[in-house]
Amino acid sequence: MSENGKSFGFTGKLGFVLATAGSAVGLGNLWRFPYLAEQYGGGAFILIYVILAITFGFTLMIAEVTIGRKTGKSCLEAFGSIDKKWKWVGWLAALVPAIIVPYYCVIGGWVTKYFVEYATGNGSEVNTSFFLGFMTCDLPGLFDNPVVWFIIFTIMVAAVVIVGVDKGIERVSKILMPLLLILLIITTIFALSMDGAMDGLSYYLVPKVEDISAGTFLGAVGQLFYSMSLAMGITITYGAYMKKDVDIEKSVRSVSLIDTGVALLAGLMIVPAVIAIGEPGNKGVGLMFMTLPKVFEAMPAGEFVAALFFLLVIFAALTSAISLMETLVYVLMDKAKMQRIPASILVFVFTIALGLLSCLGFGPLGDVFLLKEGMTFLDFFDFISNSILMPIVAALTCLFIGFVVGPKFITDEVESSGSFKSKKMFIVLVKWICPIALVLILLTGLLDFFDIFKI
Ligand code: PFF
């Protein structure tokens, strides 16, 4: 996005695919997906995730991109410009990045700390107890405090948003992203060659029915939207920048393939290794930070590979965090008529304030649980955005298309620039299956979460 709305557009299919995949591939794929997969039963979670990606993810991305391209507007305006009564859905969607960006920067800070540890030759000290001390703010040094790294990371993000050099970053990330992919493959091969990794591999790939619960579905749906940057208005904006002659179906297919591929690979790198290392169990948000050091430790030139790896993860996280923060700055500029610098400062202060709760939630605020026992601030913000708001926004978007404007609104636009091979599937999904299933998943997932009803 830019000051005057539509001052740039993507050059063609490749431009759209790279930019959208750049926003999609981030901490969601590398940090969040593997720990959810471990938590929710490995193969069972993977199976459900992939089915949902092919059906729900694909349908919703087509819907959002097409709404954007047809209206030429960002999510705040797009719904209202079609039907005034639905304007609030755009606002609801825009609320999601505001909840995500603060805790996204907290994790960005953890990644930055790991990069610095490895790059300065301290990699041998990085282990599970180091991480636990670090995340709980228990280590004595100033630069061993997660708050400091959270602020450093947030300053990097805000600086890019203020200066507006995101196009430069975008260009760099086109080189770094493929590099990340290569390193991911090398590390995965290494992790899988560790003793005991094959047991882990079968846990990761073979679904077991008894591992499936309503919670697995809710977790998978939330992760899907998070990872593909859906149900938060972002892809509507990307669609608005898409040229009229670009094939929507093919582009969306490429983006979802890249995003899901990277997530599956990251899971393959991390989940079997936990079992090989002999420390399985519900590690939650810290999984990546506890498992990967052991893989790197066993690897030739491990410290160097680790430094490079975390540097690339920083870039993936930065590009995503920048587009999340830019969305919020854009709302203030567009709706509150603020200038870029004051708007960015306001968003920065907001991010620090809310992020501090998440950052301190494992240490000084460790006794504060929200909603239920064991739910830290970070878990809470993550739950509200991914498991509640996103399924609601997604279901509303489907209902809007299915019954307010009619699927033809979308299919005509898709067909104006290419064939729409999955047209029939799209119509059935958008009108019936997605909204009904989303409401069911949301309700049963919530009952499961609060231990009211288990399936
Ligand atoms: N999809 C990103 C990830 O998986 O990390 C998260 C995200 C980034 C969502 C940027 C939205 C966005 F605009």
Side-chain angles (χ1 to χ4, degrees):
M1 268 178 277
S2 67
E3 249 87 335
N4 46 3
K6 278 195 84 167
S7 70
F8 81 94
F10 300 127
T11 36
K13 179 183 169 219
L14 191 66
F16 171 82
V17 170
L18 286 178
T20 315
S23 154
V25 173
L27 292 174
N29 311 58
L30 303 162
W31 155 73
R32 200 171 185 275
F33 182 86
Y35 91 71
L36 287 185
E38 196 228 11
Q39 193 167 318
Y40 284 119
F45 181 83
I46 303 293
L47 178 72
I48 292 169
Y49 185 86
V50 171
I51 293 175
L52 290 176
I54 300 169
T55 51
F56 288 29
F58 178 72
T59 303
L60 204 67
M61 196 177 245
I62 293 250
E64 291 197 355
V65 170
T66 311
I67 291 179
R69 191 171 83 173
K70 194 151 178 167
T71 59
K73 297 197 156 63
S74 76
C75 88
L76 284 183
E77 302 289 335
F79 284 95
S81 76
I82 303 169
D83 184 331
K84 279 214 171 60
K85 283 199 258 38
W86 284 73
K87 194 172 172 150
W88 61 278
V89 178
W91 282 93
L92 195 62
L95 187 64
V96 178
I99 302 176
I100 292 181
V101 80
Y103 81 80
Y104 205 87
C105 290
V106 171
I107 309 296
W110 293 1
V111 174
T112 313
K113 168 69 177 166
Y114 265 49
F115 161 68
V116 171
E117 287 297 306
Y118 280 106
T120 53
N122 290 332
S124 56
E125 283 160 33
V126 178
N127 54 30
T128 300
S129 67
F130 167 83
F131 176 73
L132 293 174
F134 171 68
M135 82 182 301
T136 52
C137 308
D138 243 4
L139 304 179
L142 178 66
F143 285 97
D144 283 331
N145 190 322
V147 174
V148 172
W149 293 98
F150 157 57
I151 294 174
I152 291 176
F153 185 84
T154 314
I155 289 176
M156 291 197 283
V157 178
V160 175
V161 173
I162 289 179
V163 181
V165 292
D166 54 329
K167 285 195 202 117
I169 293 258
E170 205 65 65
R171 235 170 278 144
V172 180
S173 80
K174 274 173 202 154
I175 306 163
L176 295 180
M177 280 294 162
L179 203 59
L180 173 67
L181 199 66
I182 295 170
L183 220 60
L184 203 55
I185 294 173
I186 295 174
T187 314
T188 304
I189 294 174
F190 192 81
L192 288 178
S193 71
M194 290 168 55
D195 278 346
M198 284 307 127
D199 292 339
L201 187 65
S202 74
Y203 172 74
Y204 183 65
L205 292 180
V206 183
K208 285 201 225 71
V209 182
E210 66 268 24
D211 289 334
I212 300 179
S213 70
T216 317
F217 278 90
L218 190 61
V221 154
Q223 171 60 19
L224 176 67
F225 297 152
Y226 184 95
S227 185
M228 290 177 76
S229 310
L230 294 171
M232 49 182 121
I234 305 253
T235 22
I236 297 187
T237 309
Y238 278 88
Y241 291 137
M242 186 196 230
K243 287 239 154 62
K244 284 284 180 194
D245 58 354
V246 172
D247 188 316
I248 296 183
E249 188 181 27
K250 279 204 191 118
S251 310
V252 166
R253 193 155 277 143
S254 308
V255 174
S256 46
L257 218 66
I258 295 173
D259 188 68
T260 308
V262 173
L264 291 176
L265 205 57
L268 205 55
M269 169 178 73
I270 293 176
V271 180
V274 197
I275 289 157
I277 289 160
E279 289 182 356
N282 193 340
K283 293 229 164 41
V285 297
L287 182 67
M288 166 177 164
F289 301 92
M290 296 191 242
T291 311
L292 278 182
K294 301 222 166 122
V295 176
F296 289 128
E297 196 182 297
M299 206 169 174
E303 290 214 12
F304 172 75
V305 179
L308 194 58
F309 179 81
F310 281 107
L311 182 66
L312 297 171
V313 178
I314 291 177
F315 265 93
L318 263 182
T319 50
S320 293
I322 290 164
S323 62
L324 282 164
M325 198 183 268
E326 175 74 34
T327 319
L328 302 178
V329 171
Y330 179 79
V331 171
L332 291 179
M333 284 166 52
D334 194 37
K335 295 293 160 198
K337 301 286 172 246
M338 287 176 79
Q339 295 293 314
R340 174 167 285 270
I341 294 182
S344 307
I345 293 174
L346 194 63
V347 173
F348 175 77
V349 172
F350 167 81
T351 305
I352 295 290
L354 214 60
L356 264 182
L357 293 175
S358 296
C359 197
L360 298 175
F362 299 104
L365 299 178
D367 292 337
V368 185
F369 296 135
L370 296 109
L371 296 180
K372 78 177 199 178
E373 185 67 23
M375 182 169 247
T376 62
F377 277 101
L378 195 151
D379 295 324
F380 172 74
F381 291 126
D382 188 82
F383 178 76
I384 296 291
S385 50
N386 293 279
S387 300
I388 300 194
L389 283 177
M390 289 192 201
I392 293 176
V393 172
L396 287 169
T397 308
C398 291
L399 290 175
F400 179 68
I401 290 177
F403 298 95
V404 178
V405 292
K408 202 168 169 332
F409 180 88
I410 300 291
T411 55
D412 280 355
E413 178 73 18
V414 176
E415 284 179 324
S416 71
S417 56
S419 65
F420 192 0
K421 294 202 191 69
S422 330
K423 183 172 163 178
K424 287 211 181 89
M425 178 183 104
F426 172 83
I427 295 174
V428 178
L429 277 165
V430 85
K431 226 174 154 163
W432 304 108
I433 301 183
C434 289
I436 295 173
L438 282 169
V439 171
L440 279 178
I441 289 174
L442 181 65
L443 293 180
T444 52
L446 286 179
L447 294 176
D448 180 281
F449 176 83
F450 288 109
D451 298 319
I452 299 170
F453 170 75
K454 294 261 171 213
I455 54 166

